[in-house]
Amino acid sequence: MAEERRAGGSRYLYEPFEYAPAHQVEANERVLEARWNGLEYRLGQIELMLERLERRVWLTIFGVTAAVLSETATGLFLP
C-alpha cells in the first residue's frame, strides 16, 4: 500500500514523532520550576503585606496608648 500524503496542515500532525520519557520528565521539571517561582513570588508579596499590616497595628497601639496616657495626665494635673 502506498503512503498517502495529505494536503495542507503541518507535517508534524501526520508524521510519527519520537517520544521519550526523558522529554516528559524535563517538561514536568520546567513546569514545576515555573510553578515554584510563581509560588515564591506570591509568598514574597504576602510577607510584604504582613509587614505593612504589622507596622499599622503597632502604630495604632502606640497611638491609642499615647491618647490614654495624655488623658490620664490631663486628668491628674488639671483638676
Side-chain angles (χ1 to χ4, degrees), residues 57-67:
V57 167
W58 281 112
L59 286 174
T60 303
I61 290 171
F62 289 140
V64 169
T65 304

Side-chain angles (χ1 to χ4, degrees), residues 19 36-37 54 66 73 76:
Y19 171 76
W36 188 259
N37 290 338
E54 183 180 11
L76 289 176

Side-chain angles (χ1 to χ4, degrees), residues 38-55:
L39 180 62
E40 284 180 342
Y41 173 76
R42 281 182 258 141
L43 285 175
Q45 294 297 314
I46 290 171
E47 286 179 4
L48 183 64
M49 287 189 297
L50 284 174
E51 288 174 5
R52 289 178 183 169
L53 179 63
E54 183 180 11
R55 195 175 312 134

Side-chain angles (χ1 to χ4, degrees), residues 6-52:
R6 298 185 181 173
S10 173
R11 67 183 175 109
Y12 298 108
L13 292 176
Y14 307 111
E15 292 182 5
F17 61 93
E18 188 175 320
Y19 171 76
H23 293 165
Q24 185 177 10
V25 170
E26 290 173 7
N28 282 337
E29 286 175 353
R30 287 193 308 266
V31 168
L32 288 175
E33 183 179 349
R35 286 182 178 176
W36 188 259
N37 290 338
L39 180 62
E40 284 180 342
Y41 173 76
R42 281 182 258 141
L43 285 175
Q45 294 297 314
I46 290 171
E47 286 179 4
L48 183 64
M49 287 189 297
L50 284 174
E51 288 174 5
R52 289 178 183 169

